[in-house]
């Protein structure tokens, strides 16, 4: 007996975790900026050295496709919910709601982000570097939207780890669920602070 | 060759109705179950303490005969002994059936069914599931019925109110008329037999431990159509209930079964009056005895807590974890409604109307005097005589279903059913109910139905409960007759077409008033004291005149009950005086 | 003379399943230990609104008034709960009453919870016994397992968890927390275990356990304190194993 719903939903969960891994790598790369613009440019340069015939399949197969699936199925999931955190203002219910709200935001944000920084720059031949990003993010609206985008992704991922543990039946009892939740939210807070710091590099005269 | 399939209508989705339905399904026939509510909300679930069955797993050499004798003795020798014997013999098998169905009975360390003490019995004989045994038993049967529903043999009519039975020319019951409580449509249904399992009439007493659906309306309706009511005056008053303005909430006898003690202050010191008055049984005397003692201590000796009509039920000396395991749910209920923790302070309780031993007269196979109509569960009069032992109600409810179900099929197959009713007759019966309902919908008199009901409850609670006085009963009867007359002058405010609860209530109210008259009249005429029926003017049991079942017939002209007395089988155990001060 | 203390209710009403909701305000005298059902009964005796208009009595469902039948679930001050044990003194005034709109409304506070009983069919919510006749001595059971079953068996199908769950409602086909916990109860029964695979497979289908979004509201809403999230996680574990069996056993 094969229940397609079950496999799709579990796949969605796994893919989410995979996307999260990518997010961690991405944040790690971006953090290079904390060591200075040169470091950042070096990291971007290393990426650029990868030949297109390797890079494109990776981007399409390992990033775009899973993301597309996670996003599309996620839209379906989000539409199944009628959020009620005002009536039931429990922490976990707020997390549930934020998971969906961040998802909607990320959907729009990532399309914008990927289109502009990965597709538009390649088509128009703009060279991606610290200086370009600095001028781009000097627009305060963009900067704020980017910070929010990063935070949304971090929350969505860390809370995703939390619910992953419940969905897969790893954390069963209330105590372990609470412990994992707190650990995930701790990670969320730490990553949010880190991304805030790296985003500040672009607008503050540090280097 | 496949057996011919019959269609039986069961009215009521409690323990008895569902049990009967299962038996009918297993025999290959079909059942239509009508209920006020989803079956899981039937009043059977309010039974807390347990179900009696001689399991003898505690090394006490308990026997079925002991159970039989305790039940007959507890019922003050007014129960049909052949019927009671059958019930006690059937009890252990029923428990094993429930166990197989997944009832989460409380178990001993070894994994066998645990037993507890209960009133009026010296041996541990009560199987239980914490303090919600009725709920668990009801759910088990509900699940089994649901299984049959998926197989297509059960059809449920939930939120339908039974209005009346349909009889053919020969007076044989061959269907019912019922009303959908949401859409208000009235329909007639054919059946090869009808089983009423509609529970007790607690609501005629206003405040009681019963659910709001236990109004006795269906019983009253068939009584008005010629069914006899037997022993209606025997109404059990449960000694330990939490008095409340909306209802009296039951505090299980299991509290005393697990060691709870009843006391009041006397001369500044706790007085454990039940233990003093009845040294042999102590706090575990039967309910009628305990209720009368509490009544006496409060009303006659003015020793109630703070001068009010309340006494203490004390569990505070029992370890909290033991209480949690055995009584958990109901102690929480007390905390929730009363705001005090019964694990630490004694509970304040007072007797309340609880159960009707009497009901529709049935023979040992649960046939009523109307052919084709059967009754089982609390709405019948069988098994309990003048007083029911605690934890015998779940037993009698389930057991009676195992009798009434197969008997209904036997009637359908071999009974003298007379002529079939035509579609025209069916429609005529339906239209009669439609017209009646439309009359109620148009009522625009001065009286408020809820006010009338309130007055009825006050009268019944005041005059027809623990102690009964002939002069008061006469007065009460006249007053209730006045309420009956005032019913005609009710005005309704709700003329809505959906879920018109007010109009349904007005119709039920009339049935309740007529049932109340039966109870009062029967109590008035039984000049003795037996079980739950106590008259100071006649303080002893009078076997010479009253070792008889009370039979009430409806007089359509005057609307009064006609009371006669009938014989029953008391041949196995010779009636002996009932005295709980000494071991029997 | 002290002023008579009163209680104010704002009740969301609706005349028929397709009617438009409207609210009415009622005021009644306070009394000790007053609960919402008792207050509704008072309104029923004298259905006059605060501004003196005589109206049809409010319609709602209740049976036992002891918090075991599950009938009187409604939304009180925004939260789904049993009206019979909602003590007025513990509620913020004015007290808002509304039907649980997760379910179709029939009239006023009366709702149609048929779906909950249908869900019990979906999960095969029964022990498949051969019959009511005597078979043999029933199987023994670990008293601890029986105690877990007892906890779950308190579920009175009231619908609080479904009303509180953001994933249950007309927008979704999620079966909801209570039947999933029920399935676990049947699965741990010595006889019920025989149908465990069927129940798990039913829960893996569309609208089953996979639709749970871990909002955790159910366990907070449950008036019986059933550890719903724990049993949901356990069933999640069980369906994973079942999925592996489905793949590798055939």
């Amino acid at each position: 007996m094969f229940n397609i719903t079950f496999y799709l939903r579990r796949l969605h969960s796994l893919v989410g975790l995979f996307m999260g891994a990518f997010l961690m790598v991405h944040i790690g790369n971006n953090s290079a900026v904390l060591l200075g613009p040169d470091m950042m440019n070096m990291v971007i340069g290393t990426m650029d050295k990868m030949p297109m015939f390797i890079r494109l399949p990776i981007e399409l197969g390992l990033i775009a496709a899973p993301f597309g699936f996670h996003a599309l199925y996620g839209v379906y999931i989000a539409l199944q919910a009628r959020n009620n955190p005002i009536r039931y203002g429990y922490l976990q219910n707020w997390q549930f709601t934020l998971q969906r709200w961040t998802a909607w935001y990320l959907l729009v944000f990532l399309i914008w982000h990927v289109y502009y920084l990965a597709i538009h720059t390649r088509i128009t031949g703009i060279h991606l570097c610290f200086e370009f990003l600095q001028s781009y993010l000097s627009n305060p609206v963009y900067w704020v939207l980017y910070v929010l985008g990063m935070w949304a992704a971090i929350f969505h991922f860390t809370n995703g780890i939390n619910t992953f543990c419940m969905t897969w039946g790893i954390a069963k009892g209330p105590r372990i669920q609470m412990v994992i939740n707190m650990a995930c939210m701790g990670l969320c807070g730490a990553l949010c602070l880190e991304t805030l710091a790296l985003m500040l590099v672009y607008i503050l005269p540090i280097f | 060759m496949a057996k011919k399939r019959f269609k039986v209508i069961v009215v009521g989705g409690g323990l008895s109705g569902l049990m009967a339905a299962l038996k009918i399904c297993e025999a290959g026939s079909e059942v239509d179950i009508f209920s006020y509510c989803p079956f899981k909300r039937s009043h059977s679930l309010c039974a807390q303490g347990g179900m009696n069955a001689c399991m003898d797993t505690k090394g006490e050499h308990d026997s079925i005969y002991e159970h039989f004798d305790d039940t007959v003795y507890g019922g003050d020798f007014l129960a049909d002994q052949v019927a009671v014997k059958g019930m006690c013999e059937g009890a252990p098998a029923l428990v094993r059936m429930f166990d197989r169905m997944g009832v989460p009975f409380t178990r001993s360390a070894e994994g066998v069914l645990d037993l507890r003490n209960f009133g009026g019995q010296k041996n541990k004989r009560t199987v239980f599931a914490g303090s919600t045994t009725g709920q668990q038993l009801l759910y088990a049967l509900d699940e089994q019925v649901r299984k049959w529903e998926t197989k297509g043999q059960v059809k449920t009519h939930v939120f339908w109110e039974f209005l009346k039975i349909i009889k053919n020319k020969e007076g044989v019951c061959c269907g019912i008329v019922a009303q959908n409580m949401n859409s208000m449509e009235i329909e007639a249904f054919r059946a090869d037999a009808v089983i009423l399992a509609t529970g007790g009439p607690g609501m005629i007493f206003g405040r009681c431990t019963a659910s709001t659906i236990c109004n006795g309306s269906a019983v009253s309706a068939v009584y008005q159509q010629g069914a006899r009511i037997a022993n209606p005056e025997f109404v059990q008053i449960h000694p330990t209930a939490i008095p409340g303005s909306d209802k009296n909430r039951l505090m299980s006898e299991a509290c005393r079964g697990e060691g709870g003690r009843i006391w009041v202050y006397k001369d500044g010191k706790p007085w454990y009056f039940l233990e003093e008055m009845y040294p042999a049984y102590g706090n575990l005397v039967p309910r009628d005895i305990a209720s009368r003692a509490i009544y006496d201590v409060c009303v006659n000796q003015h020793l109630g807590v703070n001068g009010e009509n309340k006494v203490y039920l004390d569990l505070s000396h029992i370890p909290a974890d033991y209480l949690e395991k055995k009584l958990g749910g109901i102690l929480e209920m007390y905390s929730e409604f009363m705001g005090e923790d019964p694990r630490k302070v004694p509970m304040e309780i007072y007797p309340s109307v609880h159960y009707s031993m009497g009901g529709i007269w049935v023979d040992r196979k649960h046939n009523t005097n109307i052919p084709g109509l059967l009754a089982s569960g609390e709405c019948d009069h069988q098994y309990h005589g003048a007083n029911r032992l605690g934890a015998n109600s779940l037993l009698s409810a389930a057991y009676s279903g195992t009798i009434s179900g197969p008997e209904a099929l036997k009637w359908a197959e071999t009974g003298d059913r007379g002529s079939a009713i035509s579609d025209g007759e069916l429609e005529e019966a339906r239209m009669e109910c439609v017209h009646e309902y439309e009359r109620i919908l148009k009522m625009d008199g001065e009286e408020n139905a809820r006010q009338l009901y309130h007055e009825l409850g006050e009268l019944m609670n005041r005059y027809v409960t623990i102690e009964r006085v002939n002069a008061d009963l006469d007065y009460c009867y006249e007053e209730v007759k006045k309420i009956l007359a005032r019913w005609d002058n009710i005005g309704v405010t709700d003329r809505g077409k959906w879920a018109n609860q007010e109009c349904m209530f007005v119709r039920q109210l009339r049935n309740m008033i007529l049932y109340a008259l039966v109870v009062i009249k029967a109590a008035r005429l039984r000049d003795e004291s037996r079980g739950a029926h106590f008259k100071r003017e006649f303080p002893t049991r009078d076997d010479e005149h009253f070792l008889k079942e009370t039979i009430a017939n409806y007089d359509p002209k005057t609307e009064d009950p006609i009371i006669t007395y009938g014989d029953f089988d008391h041949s196995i155990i010779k009636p002996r005086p009932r005295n709980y001060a000494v071991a029997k | 003379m002290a002023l008579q203390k009163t209680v104010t209710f704002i009740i969301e009403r609706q005349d028929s399943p397709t009617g438009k909701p409207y609210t009415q305000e009622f005021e009644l005298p306070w009394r000790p230990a007053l609960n919402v059902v008792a207050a509704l009964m008072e309104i029923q005796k004298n259905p006059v609104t605060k501004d003196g208009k005589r109206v049809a009595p409010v319609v709602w469902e209740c049976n036992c008034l002891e918090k075991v039948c599950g009938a009187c679930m409604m939304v009180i001050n925004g939260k789904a709960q049993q009206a019979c044990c909602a003590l007025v003194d513990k509620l913020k005034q004015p007290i808002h009453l509304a039907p649980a709109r997760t379910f179709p409304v029939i009239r006023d506070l009366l709702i149609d919870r048929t779906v909950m009983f249908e869900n019990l069919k979906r999960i095969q919510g029964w022990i498949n016994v051969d019959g009511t006749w005597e078979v043999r001595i029933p199987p023994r059971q670990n008293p601890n397992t029986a105690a877990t079953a007892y906890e779950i068996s308190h579920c009175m199908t009231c619908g609080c968890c479904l009303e509180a769950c953001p994933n249950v409602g007309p927008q979704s086909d999620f079966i909801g927390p209570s039947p999933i916990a029920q399935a676990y109860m049947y699965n741990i029964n010595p006889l019920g275990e025989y149908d465990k695979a069927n129940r798990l497979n039913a829960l893996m289908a569309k609208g089953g356990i996979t639709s749970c979004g871990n909002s955790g509201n159910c366990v907070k809403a449950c008036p019986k304190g059933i550890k719903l999230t724990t049993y949901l996680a356990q069933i999640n574990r069980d369906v994973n194993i079942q999925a592996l069996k489905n793949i590798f056993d055939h």
Side-chain angles (χ1 to χ4, degrees):
Chain A
M1 195 188 249
F2 289 94
N3 293 294
I4 192 77
T5 312
F6 175 79
Y7 295 106
L8 279 177
R9 192 80 185 218
R10 287 294 192 260
L11 186 64
H12 181 260
S13 176
L14 277 178
V15 166
L17 216 59
F18 179 73
M19 304 296 296
F22 170 72
L23 176 70
M24 295 296 279
V25 172
H26 195 14
I27 291 175
N29 287 346
N30 289 0
S31 302
V33 80
L34 291 170
L35 301 173
D38 295 344
M39 197 63 184
M40 186 66 192
N41 283 334
M42 204 187 86
V43 169
I44 297 175
T46 326
M47 303 257 290
D48 280 345
K49 280 196 196 100
M50 201 187 285
M52 250 335 174
F53 72 90
I54 296 178
R55 190 171 171 180
L56 205 60
I58 289 179
E59 283 182 346
L60 289 179
L62 289 182
I63 302 171
F67 174 77
F69 166 73
H70 193 83
L72 281 179
Y73 198 72
V75 166
Y76 167 74
I77 291 173
L79 289 176
Q80 302 276 298
R82 264 199 314 208
N83 301 319
N84 54 12
I86 303 300
R87 278 172 56 200
Y88 299 94
Y90 313 121
L91 171 70
Q92 216 181 319
N93 195 30
W94 271 111
Q95 290 175 292
F96 173 92
T97 308
L98 277 176
Q99 188 75 355
R100 278 143 188 81
W101 287 350
T102 53
W104 289 117
Y105 182 69
L106 282 170
L107 188 65
V108 179
F109 171 77
L110 288 179
I111 289 173
W112 173 48
H113 167 65
V114 169
Y115 173 75
Y116 191 75
L117 290 187
I119 302 174
H120 180 75
T121 51
R122 269 179 224 176
I123 294 170
T124 54
I126 294 172
H127 178 62
L128 214 53
C129 62
F130 175 79
E131 291 70 23
F132 168 75
L133 289 172
Q134 194 172 35
S135 73
Y136 183 59
L137 293 172
S138 64
N139 182 334
V141 178
Y142 287 2
W143 189 85
V144 169
L145 290 179
Y146 259 76
V147 171
L148 289 179
M150 286 173 152
W151 285 359
I154 290 166
F155 175 82
H156 196 84
F157 169 52
T158 50
N159 189 51
I161 301 176
N162 177 29
T163 58
F164 179 92
C165 291
M166 302 176 198
T167 301
W168 288 79
I170 297 162
K172 183 178 156 187
R175 189 186 55 200
I176 183 68
Q177 287 188 354
M178 177 56 85
V179 167
I180 290 179
N181 193 0
M182 289 304 110
C184 289
M185 288 305 105
L187 179 65
C188 175
L191 289 174
C192 286
L193 283 177
E194 209 230 328
T195 51
L196 180 65
L198 74 87
M199 284 301 283
L200 284 173
V201 173
Y202 290 102
I203 54 164
L204 296 179
I206 297 171
F207 295 104
Chain B
M1 195 187 79
K3 264 203 274 183
K4 185 173 183 278
R5 277 194 169 194
F6 296 101
K7 158 85 61 90
V8 178
I9 283 178
V10 172
V11 184
L15 209 54
S16 192
L18 297 184
M19 192 70 235
L22 285 181
K23 288 285 181 192
I24 294 163
C25 290
E26 282 174 357
S29 284
E30 289 175 8
V31 192
D32 276 17
I33 311 178
F34 289 75
S35 173
Y36 268 155
C37 54
F39 309 150
K40 283 185 87 171
R41 313 203 198 289
S42 304
H43 182 62
S44 300
L45 58 70
C46 288
Q48 299 171 345
M51 168 169 157
N52 287 333
C54 170
M55 306 305 286
D56 191 28
T57 55
K58 291 282 177 188
E60 292 177 326
H61 306 293
D62 194 23
S63 69
I64 285 171
Y65 183 84
E66 276 297 305
H67 184 188
F68 168 47
D69 186 69
D70 283 343
T71 303
V72 169
Y73 183 66
D76 229 347
F77 295 92
L78 197 65
D80 184 297
Q81 296 187 1
V82 178
V84 175
K85 191 158 171 285
M87 176 177 82
C88 296
E89 284 166 353
L94 272 175
V95 170
R96 285 192 284 272
M97 175 199 78
F98 279 121
D99 195 7
R100 279 164 50 224
M101 287 175 178
V103 172
F105 285 116
T106 301
R107 286 167 188 274
S108 69
E110 198 183 316
V112 298
L113 302 187
D114 204 356
L115 299 176
R116 69 161 46 125
N117 284 114
F118 240 72
Q121 316 183 119
K122 297 293 272 182
N123 291 338
K124 283 196 163 77
R125 187 183 294 144
T126 308
V127 296
F128 60 102
S131 56
T132 59
T133 316
Q135 185 186 20
Q136 307 310 330
L137 298 188
L138 178 68
Y139 287 4
L141 294 191
D142 174 64
E143 289 154 16
Q144 295 300 322
V145 167
R146 187 165 293 111
K147 186 176 84 177
W148 283 105
E149 199 189 338
T150 61
K151 290 182 183 173
Q153 268 174 263
V154 169
K155 210 168 146 210
T156 61
H157 299 261
V158 172
F159 295 112
W160 280 78
E161 175 166 28
F162 166 87
L163 300 183
K164 63 171 195 177
I165 55 167
I166 305 171
K167 290 195 271 191
N168 67 7
K169 286 193 273 299
E170 292 83 6
V172 173
C173 172
C174 43
I176 68 164
V177 184
Q179 181 171 30
N180 185 312
M181 294 160 69
N182 293 334
S183 69
M184 308 315 290
E185 64 188 303
I186 293 175
E187 260 187 72
F189 300 84
R190 284 172 202 275
D192 298 312
V194 175
I195 301 174
L196 278 197
T198 53
M203 291 307 285
I204 63 171
F205 289 84
R207 271 167 298 131
C208 60
T209 63
S211 296
T212 54
I213 46 174
C214 303
N215 51 30
S217 181
V219 172
S220 180
V222 295
Y223 156 73
Q224 291 162 57
Q225 287 183 277
R228 290 184 204 136
I229 290 179
N231 295 344
E233 68 272 40
F234 294 97
V235 176
Q236 178 161 80
I237 315 295
H238 196 292
T240 59
I242 314 164
S245 60
D246 50 341
K247 91 167 274 189
N248 300 326
R249 295 181 171 84
L250 177 66
M251 190 39 66
S252 175
E253 188 167 306
C255 291
R256 285 175 290 138
E258 298 293 353
R261 301 174 79 187
I262 288 184
W263 60 276
V264 287
Y265 280 110
K266 187 184 184 185
D267 309 324
K269 282 193 303 245
W271 178 36
Y272 298 93
F273 53 91
L274 285 178
E275 294 168 33
E276 193 178 302
M277 293 173 186
Y278 304 99
Y281 286 79
N283 290 294
L284 283 175
V285 287
R287 292 172 177 174
D288 56 330
I289 311 271
S291 293
R292 264 198 299 281
I294 295 170
Y295 177 85
D296 184 57
V297 164
C298 291
V299 176
N300 300 331
Q301 305 188 41
H302 308 289
L303 290 173
V305 177
N306 302 328
E308 291 169 43
N309 280 344
K310 281 175 186 171
V311 298
Y312 290 123
L313 169 58
D314 199 347
L315 293 166
S316 58
H317 57 286
I318 302 170
D321 55 337
Y322 180 85
L323 288 179
E324 195 49 48
K325 194 172 149 216
K326 297 289 176 79
L327 299 168
I330 52 171
L331 300 185
E332 264 151 49
M333 182 185 81
Y334 187 87
S335 319
E336 200 147 351
F337 287 101
M338 305 304 288
E340 278 183 327
D341 186 356
R343 297 165 195 89
K344 296 188 183 121
V345 294
M347 295 182 271
E348 293 177 12
I349 53 92
Y350 194 70
S352 165
V353 170
H354 181 58
Y355 185 92
S356 171
M357 275 71 74
I360 305 173
W361 178 90
V362 291
D363 65 13
R364 271 174 224 142
K365 294 286 179 187
H366 289 270
N367 296 294
T368 68
N369 59 312
I370 298 176
L373 178 69
L374 297 88
S376 74
E378 189 180 341
C379 77
D380 73 40
H381 92 296
Q382 206 62 278
Y383 305 112
H384 306 300
N387 171 60
R388 173 175 69 76
L389 289 190
N392 261 355
S393 63
L394 287 176
L395 173 59
S396 68
Y399 176 75
S400 61
T402 67
I403 304 295
S404 63
E407 181 66 13
L409 285 181
K410 193 177 148 211
W411 161 261
E413 198 160 4
T414 62
D416 184 8
R417 293 169 51 191
S419 53
I421 43 164
S422 66
D423 288 346
E425 284 169 295
L426 211 63
E427 179 60 12
E428 200 180 307
R430 188 184 82 87
M431 284 315 288
E432 218 175 282
C433 291
V434 171
H435 292 319
E436 190 201 345
Y437 181 69
E438 278 167 359
R439 268 199 304 279
I440 291 173
L441 210 51
K442 289 198 194 92
M443 289 176 95
D444 60 353
E446 306 293 310
E447 298 284 356
N448 178 331
R450 295 281 165 187
Q451 179 58 31
L452 289 189
Y453 171 65
H454 177 76
E455 289 177 30
L456 172 72
E458 291 294 310
L459 284 165
M460 294 301 286
N461 239 316
R462 181 152 175 206
Y463 297 117
V464 205
T465 50
I466 295 182
E467 189 173 337
R468 294 158 175 185
V469 179
N470 276 347
D472 289 347
L473 291 170
D474 286 333
Y475 168 77
C476 182
Y477 192 86
E478 288 313 311
E479 289 302 304
V480 174
K481 280 228 77 164
K482 280 183 208 159
I483 293 177
L484 180 64
R486 283 160 68 197
W487 183 91
D488 293 324
N489 196 26
I490 282 174
V492 299
T493 46
D494 190 354
R495 323 231 178 239
K497 294 200 162 44
W498 280 89
N500 191 324
Q501 292 178 341
E502 189 185 6
C503 287
M504 286 186 277
F505 178 75
V506 169
R507 186 174 53 205
Q508 291 155 8
L509 179 63
R510 192 160 206 285
N511 286 342
M512 287 156 79
I513 297 169
L514 289 171
Y515 198 134
L517 288 175
V518 181
V519 177
I520 305 166
K521 183 88 169 267
R524 170 64 185 83
L525 293 180
R526 186 174 277 271
D527 280 336
E528 65 159 349
S529 291
R530 182 189 296 271
H533 174 73
F534 175 72
K535 283 183 179 172
R536 201 167 293 280
E537 303 155 86
F538 307 92
T540 53
R541 196 171 83 195
D542 179 0
D543 281 348
E544 196 186 328
H545 297 100
F546 289 108
L547 190 56
K548 285 188 166 66
E549 288 178 345
T550 309
I551 306 285
N553 276 294
Y554 177 69
D555 180 349
K557 284 197 202 80
T558 61
E559 306 209 288
D560 291 312
I562 302 162
I563 304 285
T564 54
Y565 293 93
D567 287 320
F568 65 99
D569 195 319
H570 44 79
S571 61
I572 307 173
I573 303 171
K574 197 170 162 293
R576 59 182 190 271
R578 188 166 172 257
N579 179 5
Y580 284 94
V582 295
K584 63 167 198 193
Chain C
M1 197 185 86
L3 217 62
Q4 166 92 49
K5 211 168 141 189
T6 59
V7 189
T8 307
F9 283 89
I10 297 175
I11 302 177
E12 189 177 307
R13 308 194 57 176
Q14 178 173 326
D15 292 338
S16 69
T18 50
K20 232 178 104 189
Y22 57 96
T23 58
Q24 275 173 354
E25 204 170 329
F26 296 88
E27 195 175 49
L28 49 141
W30 176 89
R31 64 170 190 246
L34 184 69
N35 62 53
V36 171
V37 166
L40 284 170
M41 284 174 168
E42 287 304 317
I43 294 172
Q44 191 179 47
K45 277 180 198 159
N46 185 26
V48 176
T49 62
K50 200 174 175 184
D51 17 285
K53 213 173 96 194
R54 190 159 190 85
V55 294
V58 179
V59 170
W60 83 100
E61 194 186 341
C62 71
N63 289 357
C64 77
L65 312 189
E66 290 178 5
K67 208 179 132 186
V68 277
C69 78
C72 65
M73 190 273 282
M74 56 183 74
V75 177
I76 301 171
N77 283 351
K79 287 202 170 61
Q81 52 190 301
Q82 302 305 119
C84 66
C85 56
L87 296 180
V88 162
D89 288 345
K90 290 186 185 158
L91 294 167
K92 204 172 141 238
Q93 287 209 45
I95 297 165
H96 289 260
L97 303 184
R101 292 197 177 272
T102 288
F103 305 97
V105 174
I106 295 166
R107 185 179 174 182
D108 294 347
L109 304 170
L110 181 69
I111 48 170
D112 177 7
R113 279 170 280 190
T114 310
V115 63
M116 291 198 75
F117 300 96
E118 291 301 313
N119 283 345
L120 292 173
K121 292 179 191 162
R122 257 165 89 177
I123 58 143
Q124 305 187 17
W126 49 75
I127 307 294
N128 203 358
V129 295
D130 291 346
T132 57
W133 52 83
E134 178 114 75
V135 176
R136 60 186 155 78
I137 306 238
R140 282 198 187 186
Q141 205 175 334
N142 181 330
N144 300 316
T145 315
T148 304
Y150 180 62
E151 180 203 325
I152 306 173
S153 194
H154 274 94
C155 172
M156 50 192 181
T157 333
C158 62
C160 282
C161 60
L162 273 71
E163 168 67 19
C165 177
N167 271 349
V168 177
Q171 81 284 1
S172 113
D173 53 9
F174 182 33
I175 191 167
S178 77
I180 298 176
Q182 291 294 304
Y184 177 63
M185 178 184 77
Y186 302 112
N187 285 353
I188 58 172
N189 181 280
L191 301 179
E193 205 187 340
Y194 304 160
D195 292 311
K196 185 174 172 181
N198 292 338
R199 289 193 199 96
L200 291 178
N201 277 314
L203 285 176
M204 286 157 76
K206 202 164 167 296
I209 176 104
T210 53
S211 297
C212 168
N214 303 302
S215 78
N217 286 353
C218 53
V219 74
K220 297 230 167 60
C222 179
K224 288 296 187 179
I226 299 171
K227 297 191 278 291
L228 288 164
T229 48
T230 305
Y231 302 124
L232 286 167
Q234 176 65 50
I235 286 283
N236 265 321
R237 204 182 272 182
D238 295 344
V239 289
N240 287 338
I241 296 165
Q242 185 62 41
L244 292 176
K245 283 186 183 166
N246 289 352
I247 295 168
F248 293 105
D249 281 6
H250 300 282

